[in-house]
Amino acid sequence: MRTHFCGLVNEAMIGQTVTLCGWADVARNLGGICFIDLRDHEGIVQVVAEPDNPAYPTAAEVGYEYCLRITGTVRARHSVNDKIKTGKVEVLAESIEILNKSGALPFYNHENPGEDIRLRYRYLDLRRPEMQKTMRKRIALVQALRRHLDASGFQDIETPILTKATPEGARDYLVPSRVHPGQFFALPQSPQLFKQLLMMAGFDRYYQIARCFRDEDLRADRQPEFTQLDMEFAFITERDIQDFVEAMIRDVFSEVQGVELAKPFPRMTYAEAMRRYGSDKPDLRIDLELTDIAELVKSSEFKVFTDWASNEDGRVAALRVPAGATMSRKQIDDNGAYAAKYGANGLAWLKVEDLGKGREGVNSPIAKFLDDATLAAVLSATGAQSGDLILFGAGPWKTVTDFMGALRIKVAKDAGLVKEGWQPLWVTDFPMFEWDAEENRFVALHHPFTAPKVDDVADLVANAKTAVSRGYDMVLNGNEIGGGSVRIHRSEMQSQVFDLLGISKDEAQVKFGFLLEALKYGAPPHGGIAFGIDRIAALMAGTESIRDVIAFPKTASAQCLLTSAPSAVPDKQLAELHVRVREK
């Protein structure tokens, strides 16, 4: 139907006859001549229809986004357009066929109609050159990953979409079974258990570009269905896995993005990341760090500081903002309100107007509670300079860490302190468990199949609160792009971890009996990692939301505006599934 793509017409083809198909990006009838900018997925080329040409009457009818087939001769363009790659040539039309007219459009390419309209008419949104570019970036990413893994001896194996509900992590999407009344499948949150079983089956190296589903509250970087690269290795250590996938990501970024990432990636323990940056996925493009000052303020007269400085579960931390003394009181209060979203009960502050003047050179409502020695010690510990602002947080350790870490990012962005470039990082040695005060039990920080660093079951039980796992995350510019671990490969250790997580033996048998049994039959040491394809593609495309790199995403309320899903189904269909909908 066509001989060439619009965006690939070039000077070497001058004098040739070409047949092109695409959409009218612009159609201009100047009375004596018609110009059509014809667009396909490769780009745009200018088409000219002159009055003495049989194509002219049809060209005069063409409207915006008409679908066209045009045959003509390539010639040099009189006025070169350097903004497009075909800007030195044009096509003199000999025939124009209108394949399909377009009605009045809900929005035009140059407009920003808002996300709801874009998602409602996603097929039109995807036609836009910027969206074509974004989606092709994602496609190139997946192709590069596949090439790397195929060449490295990995086997692409599909795992089930209809599987068993799990008790940990996010809520499952459930699928009622028609042939087993009252019973349900679950859509997989990940292929985790199946890829472990494949290692037990002797496949050694597995990968899959897997669709995953989680029924959870959404954010810009979350979707109810998403895509991840899952990988698993047998007879491997965590450092072996990290070295392999680091090289893979470095190669993929070089190929797809033209970016050379650090070699090797820096490494940091979870404890260090939380202490210095208030985050387990710190953005190293920001130089700001938290400073612990509990020991310095224990004897101060500021009760908020002294109470938490003396509490073993408390934290008093400071954040120096270079040149932040110019911040207005309203801006400081706004930062306090922002910190409150993360649990802060208040935000103390101190402006260093002239470091050389000591107490006389600072402006702060809490300075009067700090004696000269304490004030000098705080200024020294934070590395304060004249013109700086110091923000303080005091409270429970995790709460302070969370809100000070969030503030670090916000003030850096507000002040333009985020450097350009790419900063990868490995975060290792995650805690094995977190204590959930509401449920009065431990929960797994990664997932319940992550191995502890200790091999002895009794040691794990005795030191569960401080136990460290063999888990690791790959971080890029403050985003977790991959997470994995060495897995538990002995049945007795897996049973004990379930017990520590409050999963009874009966419940573990019902939900994970197949796994516990498989671990008894010579399961090899194994581990792996999963990468968020959507998140990596969004970073490469320079967009904040992963919805921009998913062809047909859901909204923040988990709806598909294009198809109006989810939707009600007929009572007859529900009856076949043995399901009844309760009235609100």
Side-chain angles (χ1 to χ4, degrees):
M1 193 169 190
R2 62 185 170 192
T3 61
H4 296 82
F5 293 115
C6 299
L8 300 183
V9 178
N10 57 45
E11 291 175 279
M13 298 163 60
I14 289 175
Q16 294 183 25
T17 298
V18 297
T19 298
L20 310 173
C21 293
W23 290 269
D25 193 74
V26 174
R28 303 183 300 275
N29 186 348
L30 303 184
I33 191 170
C34 289
F35 293 93
I36 298 169
D37 286 351
L38 192 66
R39 184 192 71 245
D40 64 13
H41 70 283
E42 290 287 358
I44 291 174
V45 66
Q46 179 171 279
V47 176
V48 182
E50 297 178 340
D52 56 353
N53 192 296
Y56 181 80
T58 306
E61 297 178 23
V62 171
Y64 184 60
E65 288 300 302
Y66 275 33
C67 186
L68 307 172
R69 181 172 182 258
I70 297 176
T71 298
T73 303
V74 181
R75 69 182 186 184
R77 187 165 170 169
H78 295 299
S79 54
V80 172
N81 182 356
D82 292 328
K83 294 181 179 179
I84 57 175
K85 58 185 178 181
T86 63
K88 293 183 179 180
V89 295
E90 62 187 11
V91 176
L92 179 62
E94 296 168 5
S95 69
I96 298 177
E97 180 184 355
I98 297 177
L99 300 175
N100 209 345
K101 294 183 178 181
S102 175
L105 292 161
F107 63 90
Y108 293 90
N109 278 346
H110 62 277
E111 295 177 334
N112 184 8
E115 191 174 59
D116 284 358
I117 295 295
R118 290 177 57 201
L119 295 183
R120 169 67 181 84
Y121 299 96
R122 188 62 164 180
Y123 43 89
L124 294 178
D125 187 41
L126 288 172
R127 276 191 205 169
R128 297 187 301 133
E130 55 265 43
M131 287 301 295
Q132 290 275 322
K133 181 180 178 181
T134 296
M135 292 305 299
R136 286 161 75 103
K137 178 77 74 173
R138 178 196 175 103
I139 292 165
L141 165 64
V142 173
Q143 290 173 335
L145 289 168
R146 285 192 183 279
R147 279 194 296 271
H148 192 102
L149 292 167
D150 291 341
S152 301
F154 280 77
Q155 299 166 90
D156 182 0
I157 304 175
E158 294 178 348
T159 54
I161 291 296
L162 295 177
T163 183
K164 192 176 184 70
T166 57
E168 297 290 316
R171 290 180 292 273
D172 290 311
Y173 277 102
L174 299 177
V175 180
S177 170
R178 179 182 59 82
V179 296
H180 298 284
Q183 297 184 348
F184 295 81
F185 294 104
L187 302 182
Q189 296 187 30
S190 85
Q192 180 62 45
L193 295 182
F194 290 105
K195 67 180 184 178
Q196 289 189 240
L197 292 171
L198 287 169
M199 296 304 100
M200 299 171 201
F203 282 97
D204 199 78
R205 286 190 169 195
Y206 144 97
Y207 86 94
Q208 182 182 188
I209 307 293
R211 295 292 284 172
C212 303
F213 307 85
R214 293 178 188 171
D215 186 7
E216 59 184 348
D217 296 333
L218 306 182
R219 301 196 303 263
D221 61 345
R222 295 275 176 91
Q223 281 278 292
E225 55 179 319
F226 55 95
T227 305
Q228 64 187 38
L229 166 62
D230 262 276
M231 304 169 62
E232 200 78 6
F233 308 67
F235 302 106
I236 200 99
T237 68
E238 51 263 61
R239 189 58 188 252
D240 295 330
I241 297 170
Q242 292 161 16
D243 287 346
F244 178 88
V245 298
E246 177 181 319
M248 177 186 73
I249 292 297
R250 192 182 297 111
D251 288 349
V252 167
F253 265 78
S254 178
E255 177 183 341
V256 178
Q257 199 71 6
V259 167
E260 300 301 323
L261 299 179
K263 184 178 182 179
F265 291 0
R267 309 175 70 80
M268 187 179 299
T269 65
Y270 170 91
E272 181 183 359
M274 298 299 281
R275 175 177 58 81
R276 293 173 61 187
Y277 302 109
S279 172
D280 60 0
K281 48 181 184 296
D283 190 341
L284 298 188
R285 296 174 302 166
I286 301 170
D287 289 332
L288 310 185
E289 294 191 24
L290 306 184
T291 303
D292 285 303
I293 59 169
E295 292 300 318
L296 305 180
V297 298
K298 269 186 177 179
S299 302
S300 74
E301 297 179 13
F302 192 43
K303 192 173 186 303
V304 175
F305 282 2
T306 55
D307 285 352
W308 288 109
S310 303
N311 188 321
E312 65 176 7
D313 294 322
R315 185 176 191 185
V316 185
L319 174 67
R320 180 179 75 91
V321 184
T326 57
M327 199 178 293
S328 69
R329 182 58 188 268
K330 181 182 183 305
Q331 289 174 307
I332 294 175
D333 291 343
D334 287 345
N335 282 322
Y338 181 81
K341 297 177 182 179
Y342 294 84
N345 288 325
L347 186 66
W349 54 273
L350 184 152
K351 290 185 177 183
V352 185
E353 295 175 343
D354 188 337
L355 185 65
K357 292 183 178 180
R359 177 177 297 279
E360 300 303 316
V362 302
N363 175 11
S364 170
I366 68 167
K368 60 187 176 183
F369 300 110
L370 308 177
D371 60 36
D372 289 347
T374 301
L375 179 60
V378 169
L379 293 174
S380 175
T382 58
Q385 301 294 321
S386 297
D388 289 349
L389 171 71
I390 303 175
L391 301 175
F392 300 94
W397 190 92
K398 187 175 188 310
T399 302
V400 171
T401 301
D402 286 347
F403 77 72
M404 291 298 283
L407 267 180
R408 171 182 172 268
I409 296 171
K410 181 181 185 300
V411 298
K413 288 182 177 179
D414 290 346
L417 297 176
V418 183
K419 294 181 289 189
E420 294 293 324
W422 300 87
Q423 290 288 338
L425 171 71
W426 279 111
V427 178
T428 64
D429 294 350
F430 280 78
M432 188 74 181
F433 308 110
E434 271 187 321
W435 182 256
D436 189 319
E438 290 186 9
E439 296 193 21
N440 196 35
R441 69 179 182 95
F442 285 119
V443 294
L445 199 67
H446 262 85
H447 55 60
F449 318 109
T450 297
K453 283 216 163 182
V454 297
D455 291 325
D456 185 69
V457 173
D459 190 347
L460 176 65
V461 174
N463 300 286
K465 186 176 180 180
T466 57
V468 174
S469 79
R470 298 177 73 179
Y472 39 82
D473 283 352
M474 184 184 287
V475 176
L476 183 62
N477 289 4
N479 297 271
E480 177 209 330
I481 62 170
S485 67
V486 170
R487 324 301 188 188
I488 297 168
H489 72 281
R490 291 188 292 120
S491 185
E492 58 271 25
M493 179 64 82
Q494 186 65 78
S495 293
Q496 186 58 68
V497 168
F498 285 154
D499 185 63
L500 288 168
L501 292 172
I503 301 173
S504 69
K505 283 184 169 54
D506 288 343
E507 183 183 3
Q509 190 59 41
V510 169
K511 303 221 179 251
F512 302 111
F514 66 94
L515 174 67
L516 293 170
E517 184 173 12
L519 290 172
K520 295 177 181 177
Y521 298 112
H526 60 283
I529 192 167
F531 287 96
I533 296 292
D534 309 309
R535 194 168 300 175
I536 297 173
L539 285 170
M540 285 181 162
T543 180
E544 292 291 326
S545 172
I546 63 171
R547 290 192 287 275
D548 287 335
V549 296
I550 299 173
F552 300 102
K554 305 294 188 292
T555 65
S557 57
Q559 292 178 297
C560 175
L561 298 182
L562 176 64
T563 62
S564 299
S567 59
V569 298
D571 289 341
K572 180 180 178 181
Q573 190 173 355
L574 290 176
E576 290 176 342
L577 296 170
H578 314 282
V579 170
R580 179 181 298 141
V581 177
R582 296 175 60 182
E583 297 294 332
K584 287 185 179 180

